[in-house]
C-alpha cells in the first residue's frame, strides 16, 4: 500500500482506503440535509425586524442576540469586568490552550481518560456560558431586572 | 493505467483540437485539471490535482468518521457559504444609509421576489454558523485535537471564531431597527470601559459619539468587505494546515499516547 501521507514521525495504522467518491457523497448528503433544514426553518420563521431606529426612544431591555447574552449578563454586574476583562481573558486562554496543554495524551479521542481535568475545566466553562445565556434570555426584563419567564 | 494509453486517450491533439467542438471538454478540463500530465501517478491524483476536493485527504488512513468530527467543521463551512451567497444577493438591494436602510429591508421583505426568504436564510444561517463554529471548537477540545502538531490550527480557529462573532455583531446593526440601534449603542458603550484607550476605541467604532450614519457605514464596510476577506484568508489557512498536519487527529494521533 503506498503511503505518502505526512505522518509526523508516527507509523500510521495501515487501514488506508482510497474512496474519494464515498467521501464526496457523504459530504454532499450532509450539506443537502443542512440546506433543506435551513430552508424549512426560513420558510416557517421570519427574521426579526422591529420598528425603525429612533435615537429618541430607547427600548428596554435592549437585548443582544442570544450568543452575546452571556456577556451582556456579565456586563450587568460590571461593565469593566464583564465587558472587557472576562472576554479578553477568554480569548487569551483560548489562544494559549495548545501551548499549555502539550502532553501527547488522548489526541483524537473523545473524552480521553488521561485528559479528564482539562475536559472538566472546559466543560464547566461552556456550561457557565450556557447558564448565563439562558438567564439573559429568559430571566431578564426591564432594566435587566430578574423576572420569571412564566410569571407574566 | 499505463503511460501509453493515457497519452493516446487524453493528450491534447498537436494542432490544439477543434476550437468549437472541443469547447465543453476543454472548459471542463481546465477546471478539473483532469489528465494534464502524462506521468504515471498514484491514485492520489484525483484529489491532489483538483482544488475543489482538496479538503479531502489524499489517502485517508481511515474513512473520515462522522462520530469523530460530528461534521461540525463541514457544517460551519457550508453555513458560511450559504450566508455569503444570500448576503451577496442582498447587497444588490441594501443601502447603508440611515435614511434608506430600514425601508430597503421592509421592501425586501414585502415586495422583492424571494426577498423575505433570502433574508431569513441569511439570518438563521448566521445564527446556525455561530452555533456550529462554537460546537466545532468544543469538539476539537474534547477530542484533544489541538495538541502538537495542530496548535496553530487551533489558533487560526480561535480567530475564525472571533471573526464569526464580529460578523454577526456588525450585521446586527445593518437592519437599522430599534433592536439594532440600541443593541449597538449598548455594545459600543462597553468598549468605552477599556482602560486608557476606552474613549478612543469607542469613537473609532462609532465614527462619532453616538450610533449614526458613520457607524452604519463603518459596520457595513466591515461586514461586506473586510470580514469576508479575513474569513476567506483564515479558512484557506485553516484547511491547508489541517492537511499539512497530517489530516485529522484520530487518523494518526493515537499511537503517541
Ligand atoms: C468558520 C469557522 C470554522 C470552519 C469553517 C472550520 C472548518 C474545519 C473543518 C472542515 C475541519 C475538518 C474536520 C471537521 O470537520 O471537524 C476542521 C478541523 C479543525 N478545526 Fe476548524 N473550523 C472553524 C473554526 C475552528 C475553531 C473556532 C477552532 C478552534 C478554536 C478550530 C480548530 C480546528 C482544529 C484544531 C481542527 C483539526 C481537528 C482534528 O484534527 O481533529 N476550527 N475545521
Amino acid at each position: 500500500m503506498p503511503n505518502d501521507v505526512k505522518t509526523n514521525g508516527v507509523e500510521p495504522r495501515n487501514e488506508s482506503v482510497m474512496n474519494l467518491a464515498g467521501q464526496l457523497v457523504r459530504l454532499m448528503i450532509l450539506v443537502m440535509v443542512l440546506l433543506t433544514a435551513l430552508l424549512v426553518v426560513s420558510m416557517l420563521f421570519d427574521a426579526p425586524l422591529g420598528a425603525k431606529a429612533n435615537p429618541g426612544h430607547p427600548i428596554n431591555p435592549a437585548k443582544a442576540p442570544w450568543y452575546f447574552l452571556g456577556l451582556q449578563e456579565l456586563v450587568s454586574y460590571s461593565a469593566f469586568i464583564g465587558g472587557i476583562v472576562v472576554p479578553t481573558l477568554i480569548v487569551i486562554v483560548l489562544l494559549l490552550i495548545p501551548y499549555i496543554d502539550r502532553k501527547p495524551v488522548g489526541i483524537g479521542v473523545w473524552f480521553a481518560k488521561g485528559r479528564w481535568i482539562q475536559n472538566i475545566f472546559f466543560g464547566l466553562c461552556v456550561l457557565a456560558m450556557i447558564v448565563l445565556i439562558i438567564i439573559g434570555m429568559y430571566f431578564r426584563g426591564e432594566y435587566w431586572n430578574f423576572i420569571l419567564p412564566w410569571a407574566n | 493505467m499505463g503511460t501509453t494509453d493515457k497519452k493516446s486517450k487524453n493528450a491534447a491533439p498537436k494542432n490544439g483540437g477543434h476550437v468549437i467542438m472541443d469547447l465543453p471538454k476543454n472548459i471542463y478540463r481546465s477546471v478539473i485539471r483532469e489528465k494534464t500530465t502524462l506521468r504515471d501517478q498514484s491514485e492520489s491524483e484525483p484529489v491532489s490535482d483538483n482544488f475543489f476536493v482538496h479538503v479531502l485527504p489524499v489517502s485517508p488512513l481511515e474513512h473520515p468518521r462522522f462520530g469523530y468530527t460530528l461534521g461540525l467543521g463541514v457544517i460551519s463551512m457550508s453555513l458560511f457559504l450559504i450566508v455569503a451567497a444570500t448576503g451577496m444577493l442582498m447587497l444588490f438591494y441594501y443601502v447603508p444609509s440611515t435614511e434608506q436602510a430600514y425601508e430597503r429591508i421592509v421592501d425586501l421583505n414585502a415586495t422583492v421576489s424571494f426577498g423575505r426568504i433570502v433574508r431569513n436564510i441569511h439570518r438563521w444561517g448566521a445564527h446556525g454558523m455561530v452555533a456550529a463554529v462554537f460546537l466545532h471548537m468544543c469538539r476539537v477540545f474534547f477530542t484533544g485535537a489541538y495538541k502538537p502538531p495542530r496548535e496553530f490550527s487551533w489558533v487560526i480557529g480561535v480567530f475564525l471564531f472571533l471573526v464569526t462573532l464580529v460578523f454577526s455583531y456588525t450585521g446586527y446593526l445593518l437592519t437599522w431597527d430599534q433592536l439594532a440601534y440600541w443593541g449597538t449603542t449598548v455594545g459600543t458603550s462597553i468598549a468605552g470601559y477599556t482602560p486608557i484607550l476606552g474613549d478612543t476605541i469607542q469613537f473609532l467604532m462609532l465614527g462619532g459619539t453616538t450610533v449614526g450614519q458613520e457607524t452604519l457605514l463603518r459596520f457595513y464596510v466591515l461586514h461586506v468587505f473586510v470580514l469576508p476577506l479575513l474569513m476567506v484568508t483564515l479558512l484557506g489557512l485553516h484547511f491547508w494546515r489541517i492537511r499539512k498536519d497530517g489530516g485529522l487527529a484520530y487518523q494518526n494521533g493515537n499511537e503517541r499516547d
Side-chain angles (χ1 to χ4, degrees):
Chain A
M1 174 111 287
N3 195 343
D4 49 1
V5 183
K6 194 170 161 237
T7 52
N8 301 294
V10 178
E11 267 309 306
R13 279 167 292 173
N14 232 343
E15 297 162 33
S16 172
V17 215
M18 182 67 208
N19 183 2
L20 184 61
Q23 287 183 64
L24 269 179
V25 168
R26 283 150 53 118
L27 262 178
M28 291 300 172
I29 292 174
L30 182 64
V31 171
M32 275 153 81
V33 169
L34 186 73
L35 249 176
T36 313
L38 188 57
L39 202 62
V40 170
V41 168
S42 298
M43 275 153 57
L44 293 177
F45 304 100
D46 278 341
L49 183 65
K52 184 174 178 173
N54 183 346
H57 284 270
I59 51 170
N60 188 355
K63 285 196 186 184
W66 59 268
Y67 36 84
F68 285 132
L69 280 182
L71 287 179
Q72 199 176 0
E73 175 65 16
L74 285 174
V75 165
S76 73
Y77 303 114
S78 156
F80 177 62
I81 306 273
I84 309 285
V85 177
V86 173
T88 308
L89 276 180
I90 292 177
V91 172
I92 291 175
V93 170
L94 280 177
L95 287 174
L96 287 180
I97 280 174
Y99 302 98
I100 298 169
D101 178 27
R102 301 178 62 81
K103 244 180 44 207
V105 173
I107 298 175
V109 185
W110 273 97
F111 303 118
K113 277 202 204 78
R115 307 184 59 240
W116 67 272
I117 300 176
Q118 291 94 316
N119 285 336
I120 285 182
F121 171 77
F122 194 81
L124 284 178
C125 291
V126 170
L127 191 71
M129 196 36 87
I130 291 173
V131 169
L132 287 171
I133 287 174
I134 290 174
I135 295 176
M137 260 173 106
Y138 298 109
F139 294 88
R140 292 298 179 183
E142 278 189 1
Y143 304 103
W144 215 253
N145 284 330
F146 187 83
I147 54 160
L148 294 173
W150 48 87
N152 205 340
Chain B
M1 205 189 271
T3 316
T4 35
D5 70 57
K6 251 191 184 176
K7 198 179 273 166
S8 55
K9 228 169 57 198
N10 300 303
K14 285 225 165 57
N15 60 7
H18 194 287
V19 173
I20 295 173
M21 299 300 284
D22 289 346
L23 189 62
K25 193 173 67 190
N26 289 340
I27 292 176
Y28 177 80
R29 282 187 183 164
S30 71
V31 176
I32 298 300
R33 298 190 69 228
E34 185 198 43
K35 317 270 166 49
T36 50
T37 59
L38 299 176
R39 278 168 294 132
D40 222 9
Q41 289 187 341
S42 70
E43 319 94 81
S44 69
E45 235 179 5
V47 177
S48 63
D49 275 6
N50 188 332
F51 175 78
F52 297 105
V53 289
H54 218 96
V55 284
L56 300 173
V58 168
S59 62
L61 299 176
E62 289 174 23
H63 291 286
R65 264 198 253 127
F66 183 78
Y68 175 71
T69 66
L70 304 183
L72 286 165
V74 170
I75 290 174
S76 308
M77 185 62 199
S78 314
L79 285 172
F80 173 64
L81 291 178
I82 293 165
V83 170
T86 47
M88 213 101 80
L89 287 175
M90 293 196 292
L91 266 186
F92 285 110
Y93 215 74
Y94 182 80
V95 179
S97 115
T98 56
E99 307 276 294
Q100 282 192 54
Y102 181 77
E103 281 77 6
R104 286 271 169 167
I105 289 168
V106 171
D107 236 31
L108 187 71
N109 261 350
T111 54
V112 179
S113 313
F114 299 107
R116 182 187 293 261
I117 192 98
V118 167
R119 181 165 110 88
N120 289 351
I121 293 174
H122 191 75
R123 176 66 69 102
W124 301 133
H127 280 238
M129 186 178 163
V130 173
V133 173
F134 180 73
L135 291 174
H136 171 61
M137 181 170 79
C138 294
R139 185 292 275 177
V140 171
F141 189 93
F142 290 127
T143 55
Y146 55 81
K147 297 196 177 197
R150 292 182 184 74
E151 307 101 303
F152 198 60
S153 294
W154 170 273
V155 171
I156 298 164
V158 174
F159 286 108
L160 278 168
F161 182 49
L162 293 177
V163 169
T164 307
L165 289 179
V166 181
F167 243 124
S168 50
Y169 180 74
T170 51
Y172 199 58
L173 180 66
L174 302 187
T175 49
W176 205 250
D177 62 352
Q178 278 286 70
L179 217 53
Y181 185 88
W182 292 104
T184 304
T185 300
V186 173
T188 48
S189 73
I190 293 166
Y193 288 92
T194 316
I196 306 163
L197 291 176
D199 290 342
T200 315
I201 294 176
Q202 192 179 354
F203 190 85
L204 262 176
M205 287 170 84
L206 294 174
T209 49
T210 56
V211 177
Q213 176 61 59
E214 297 313 311
T215 324
L216 183 58
L217 189 56
R218 274 166 203 219
F219 279 38
Y220 174 77
V221 171
L222 288 173
H223 192 78
V224 307
F225 182 74
V226 179
L227 293 168
L229 208 66
L230 250 178
M231 181 71 104
V232 170
T233 310
L234 288 170
L235 283 174
L237 260 176
H238 194 51
F239 296 146
W240 177 74
R241 276 307 296 249
I242 292 165
R243 202 53 46 244
K244 287 291 165 193
D245 291 337
L248 299 188
Y250 76 91
Q251 290 170 320
N252 64 17
N254 295 348
E255 289 78 356
R256 293 148 55 108
D257 287 16

